[in-house]
Amino acid sequence: MRVTPARAGGGRERAALVAKSYEAIAEGSHSFAAASKLFDRTTRERSWLLYAWCRRCDDIADNQDKGGPLGDQGDLKSAEDRVQAIRVLTRRALDEQPTADFAFDAFGLVADECGLDWDMANDMIGGFALDATRWQPRTEADMMRYCYHVAGSVGIMMAVIMGVPKDDGETLDRACDLGLAFQIANIARDITEDAEAGRCYLPATWLAELDWEAGEHALPENRFKLASLMPRLIALMEKHEAASKLGAKKLRFRQRWAVLAAANIYGAIGRKVLGRGQLAWNKRVRVGGLEKSWHVTTAFFEALWNRPRGPHEPIIWSRHDFRPVAGW
């Protein structure tokens, strides 16, 4: 039997993987696509390659298409099988073997170029493993653990792509903070959509304060009380958003500009949810094109000034608090 030669990207041409990865980000996330264009060419392309893998993993785990409506989740065995498929394909990509899926081949390529490893990848896959078990957070720490796996871990990989050394723990922690802020904004925005899919990422202890079980929180008649939880949630987002800007200070100008633009855009999502009160979930909160341009412009001047203030309160979580998870 002929052995398949090891080649980063599964033997596909880099230009083709980059082109398909850009298509994925342009369709899947207008916010990330806009911010990524501020990077230098090499970082921009590598961010697209990483995004394509993240998007594809999410689609497989949730049985959806390009971040669209969740598909039928099936039973626990089906969900766990999908997560296992993600692990197998990711391992194969890291071993420089073809996967027959461009997104995994793209990850194999960017991993080879930047030194991304299995532990980094598996940390993100851990979030899909939580969803596969129909997991819901009991405490704020549980919610933050989930945010780490699905987004903080991606922030760390992005930092490595931007050239942050793996032993620069402080900057990697700040990159993790940016991912945490993004995911908290997503949780706030998507509360009712998640509830329709049988998911809840608000801590059970928070819901218990309002005498709710998971599921009751998203009922139309409870929106006013649900909005009362948003100041706490968005304050948490803003704390990690501010901390992330301390890490951006150490990046090269164009990288710093892109990171700050993304932080401003996602921060705006969370603040819009807060500002709309009980009406926040009547329709999906979005940041329009003109508003994105404004946030990109303000980020430019922030990047030039490069004197972030940081959070008013200390950050009590670091990436080391969330890994490893026994049994994963």
Side-chain angles (χ1 to χ4, degrees), residues 38-298:
L38 306 179
F39 285 129
D40 58 275
R41 178 177 177 178
T42 298
T43 305
R44 179 168 63 244
E45 291 179 352
R46 288 172 172 172
S47 72
W48 296 344
L49 294 168
L50 177 62
Y51 176 88
W53 172 72
C54 294
R55 174 75 274 152
R56 183 66 177 131
C57 289
D58 200 12
D59 285 348
I60 292 173
D62 288 342
N63 195 23
Q64 61 186 29
D65 181 41
K66 300 181 181 65
L70 294 178
D72 180 9
Q73 299 300 291
D75 57 18
L76 286 176
K77 179 65 165 55
S78 297
E80 290 169 359
D81 285 347
R82 291 196 297 272
V83 174
Q84 185 59 22
I86 292 169
R87 286 198 169 107
V88 169
L89 288 170
T90 301
R91 277 282 196 187
R92 187 168 175 84
L94 287 171
D95 289 338
E96 301 184 342
Q97 296 296 307
T99 66
D101 188 309
F102 94 89
F104 287 90
D105 291 337
F107 180 70
L109 179 61
V110 72
D112 182 74
E113 291 182 356
C114 302
L116 304 181
D117 58 36
W118 170 249
D119 286 342
M120 293 177 181
N122 197 41
D123 272 2
M124 193 199 78
I125 297 170
F128 302 130
L130 286 173
D131 280 333
T133 64
R134 310 295 197 265
W135 171 92
Q136 295 182 350
R138 187 179 64 83
T139 65
E140 183 178 307
D142 290 339
M143 179 180 71
M144 296 308 295
R145 179 184 295 281
Y146 180 78
C147 290
Y148 166 75
H149 284 291
V150 299
S153 61
V154 180
I156 292 168
M157 286 189 280
M158 272 300 305
V160 173
I161 283 174
M162 287 186 278
V164 175
K166 292 182 184 179
D167 60 358
D168 185 352
E170 175 65 21
T171 304
L172 293 181
D173 276 339
R174 302 291 71 81
C176 177
D177 282 321
L178 185 60
L180 298 177
F182 286 174
Q183 188 59 30
I184 294 169
N186 285 340
I187 287 173
R189 179 192 62 192
D190 298 339
I191 286 174
T192 55
E193 293 176 33
D194 289 332
E196 289 172 1
R199 295 178 176 179
C200 176
Y201 298 111
L202 294 173
T205 53
W206 290 16
L207 301 183
E209 293 171 11
L210 298 174
D211 296 320
W212 286 340
E213 298 287 341
E216 293 179 305
H217 66 291
L219 296 175
E221 60 267 28
N222 289 334
R223 298 282 173 81
F224 184 79
K225 290 173 69 176
L226 175 62
S228 73
L229 294 177
M230 292 305 102
R232 190 191 316 188
L233 189 62
I234 302 309
L236 189 60
M237 179 204 78
E238 290 183 327
K239 181 165 70 170
H240 288 282
E241 178 188 5
S244 74
K245 294 185 178 184
L246 296 176
K249 180 179 180 179
K250 299 182 180 180
L251 300 174
R252 297 193 302 274
F253 175 77
R254 289 194 62 173
Q255 295 176 343
R256 183 165 66 248
W257 183 16
V259 166
L260 292 174
N264 290 350
I265 291 168
Y266 264 79
I269 291 173
R271 285 181 278 274
K272 279 190 171 190
V273 172
L274 178 62
R276 291 182 182 180
Q278 68 190 71
L279 304 179
W281 303 281
N282 286 359
K283 63 179 181 179
R284 187 178 178 88
V285 170
R286 299 183 186 278
V287 176
L290 286 177
E291 190 177 352
K292 280 192 181 79
S293 297
W294 168 254
H295 291 306
V296 168
T297 301
T298 57

Side-chain angles (χ1 to χ4, degrees), residues 1-5 92 97:
M1 179 179 292
R2 179 181 298 175
V3 177
T4 303
R92 187 168 175 84
Q97 296 296 307

